[in-house]
Amino acid sequence: MEYADVISLAELKEKTRAVVQVNKRAVALFWANENAFALSNVCIHEGGPLIQGQVHEKDGQTVVQCPWHGFEFSLKTGKTFTPVPDSVDVYDAKIENKRVLVSVQPVSRGKRLSKMNPTAQALLEKCEAAHADRPKGPLRVLGISSTNLTPGLPRTSTSEKALEWALQLAREKYGADTRVLKLRELNIRPCEGFYSRDAAACTFPCSLTQMDETDEMHKVYENMIAWADVVLVASPIRWGNASSLLYKMIERLNAVQNQITLQKKYYIQNKVAGFIITGGQDNVQKIAGELMMFFTELGFALPKFSFVGWSRGWYQEDMPSNPQAMESSMDFKEDLEKLVNNCTVLAKLVMKNPEELPKMER
Ligand code: FES
């Protein structure tokens, strides 16, 4: 077997790890348990740099954990434990004359045996086909409710009530099909910041969707990308901000926005968003501004006057009266009707002849 002389033993011992080029390939070299180990530096999952991974003991083996999504590979065999036995290329490493030598060819070849789970695979296919496959039919309006009411404890949420009225208007006045997603009913894992490790580690479908079949963010992706023409987002005001559930969803939507930044891939096209913001205390405009910014970064078109707000101000602490006050406000209902109208009018415009629309890129 042919070997390449890559580094002095003293230097490897001192650094405990090093990336070396062998036969034009990046090889991660580790010094652990008084031995040298050599693996491909490129994680078989999505290409993460194994050299930056943490080395530790697991089930009697020394493993390196990929810094991107946490797959662990045995330094000796290159095999991973989770979630299925994928593996990376392993090279032979030996010591001669105080130098470290690495085999020019891998002694075992890595394989990716795992596939995206069926839910993530089906989601990807639907989202890829979404624009070509929009069947003729009524306008589709998706409502997203982000209030966090206690399950089984009857209480009126002003934001959810206003969203229900808006969807009812969309059905009755504009003949739309409507759906609603209540974020509190979905098991959505918080974003784990893969983007912050490396932009390429933030994939679509989101790495969490690919790795965790119990996670239900796929319902948001699918309805938003592959079904809706209009998305109405409803949020209560929580200490001057949108609800934390809404931010949980927004952070997971980074996986969609990131495809624009990295690959110029626009999953959201010719869709319109509008916002309903309600609370006992004010900060409607600040929340509206944040939502407008984020949803336009996703690729949504916003109509003129794209939000409505309901607030009774700083001194109104009689919260039980708030739903009733909103319900008897004709001004608010008129505003809501205008919002639905503005969103549907714009959606029909952008959907009419999408190929004739001027191209707009980020
Ligand atoms: S675990 Fe290595 S790239 Fe995903």
Side-chain angles (χ1 to χ4, degrees):
M1 194 159 30
E2 194 184 342
Y3 284 82
D5 180 333
V6 290
I7 195 171
S8 76
L9 179 60
E11 188 178 346
L12 180 62
K13 277 186 172 178
E14 189 194 329
K15 292 179 174 165
T16 71
R17 57 183 67 200
V19 180
V20 294
Q21 292 294 319
V22 178
N23 211 9
K24 297 189 182 153
R25 292 204 175 89
V27 172
L29 202 55
F30 296 93
W31 181 256
N33 301 333
E34 299 302 310
N35 274 302
F37 298 94
L39 305 173
S40 166
N41 188 37
V42 182
C43 177
I44 200 82
H45 178 225
E46 292 285 348
L50 293 183
I51 194 69
Q52 293 172 20
Q54 192 193 58
V55 173
H56 56 261
E57 298 299 312
K58 180 165 182 168
D59 296 349
Q61 297 190 59
T62 310
V63 301
V64 58
Q65 185 165 32
C66 179
W68 280 11
H69 308 108
F71 284 25
E72 294 164 307
F73 298 91
S74 158
L75 289 183
K76 198 168 174 189
T77 66
K79 289 185 180 155
T80 188
F81 299 78
T82 53
V84 287
D86 288 350
S87 54
V88 290
D89 288 355
V90 177
Y91 296 78
D92 190 39
K94 64 181 184 180
I95 317 294
E96 275 182 16
N97 301 325
K98 298 187 180 172
R99 302 287 304 173
V100 181
L101 309 186
V102 170
S103 62
V104 170
Q105 298 296 335
V107 288
S108 72
R109 293 268 180 198
K111 280 199 191 89
R112 181 164 178 178
L113 301 172
S114 62
K115 296 199 170 61
M116 231 179 259
N117 68 52
T119 307
Q121 185 64 44
L123 170 70
L124 183 61
E125 284 163 18
K126 279 184 193 162
C127 293
E128 295 281 351
H131 303 294
D133 280 1
R134 170 64 172 93
K136 292 218 176 317
L139 193 74
R140 297 159 165 187
V141 182
L142 171 68
I144 297 180
S145 173
S146 65
T147 187
N148 197 15
L149 297 176
T150 315
L153 189 60
R155 201 180 87 210
T156 302
S157 150
T158 51
S159 62
E160 195 159 290
K161 187 82 208 161
L163 180 64
E164 282 167 12
W165 288 341
L167 294 178
Q168 189 181 347
L169 271 168
R171 284 192 298 274
E172 292 176 358
K173 199 167 168 192
Y174 300 94
D177 272 354
T178 63
R179 288 183 185 175
V180 65
L181 287 176
K182 297 177 180 175
L183 297 184
R184 67 184 177 281
E185 293 176 353
L186 301 180
N187 173 31
I188 297 179
R189 270 173 69 170
C191 171
E192 292 180 13
F194 298 132
Y195 180 87
S196 309
R197 293 167 207 174
D198 192 289
C202 181
T203 58
F204 184 80
C206 169
S207 311
L208 293 175
T209 305
Q210 292 188 38
M211 294 190 292
D212 182 354
E213 279 212 87
T214 66
D215 179 79
E216 292 183 306
M217 185 63 193
H218 63 90
K219 294 183 181 174
V220 175
Y221 295 135
E222 184 178 337
N223 280 287
M224 192 178 275
I225 296 170
W227 187 79
D229 303 311
V230 174
V231 177
L232 292 177
V233 180
S235 177
I237 300 168
R238 297 276 184 260
W239 279 101
N241 290 299
S243 88
S244 55
L245 279 184
L246 189 55
Y247 274 102
K248 188 152 80 158
M249 179 191 83
I250 284 174
E251 288 182 17
R252 292 289 302 278
L253 284 167
N254 193 63
V256 178
Q257 199 280 333
N258 198 31
Q259 306 313 305
I260 303 173
T261 315
L262 286 186
Q263 307 182 38
K264 289 200 174 300
K265 195 160 190 174
Y266 296 80
Y267 280 106
I268 304 288
Q269 288 186 41
N270 310 323
K271 295 178 190 288
V272 171
F275 311 104
I276 297 167
I277 301 152
T278 72
Q281 295 168 354
D282 207 352
N283 230 6
V284 173
Q285 287 155 312
K286 180 218 172 217
I287 296 171
E290 287 179 2
L291 296 181
M292 283 182 209
M293 185 278 292
F294 180 70
F295 278 81
T296 191
E297 281 292 299
L298 279 181
F300 280 94
L302 307 181
K304 288 181 186 175
F305 317 113
S306 60
F307 73 94
V308 294
W310 169 259
S311 166
R312 293 163 69 221
W314 182 251
Y315 286 101
Q316 297 294 342
E317 294 288 351
D318 57 335
M319 300 313 289
S321 307
N322 199 24
Q324 204 187 353
M326 186 184 84
E327 224 161 301
S328 55
S329 168
M330 288 314 293
D331 286 345
F332 180 69
K333 285 186 177 159
E334 274 175 28
D335 284 354
L336 208 52
E337 195 166 342
K338 286 176 196 159
L339 174 71
V340 175
N341 178 67
N342 297 349
C343 290
T344 52
V345 165
L346 183 62
K348 284 178 184 167
L349 271 179
V350 296
M351 289 166 65
K352 200 168 174 190
N353 289 314
E355 59 287 343
E356 286 175 16
L357 285 174
K359 208 168 174 203
M360 293 181 209
E361 291 192 346
R362 187 178 187 277

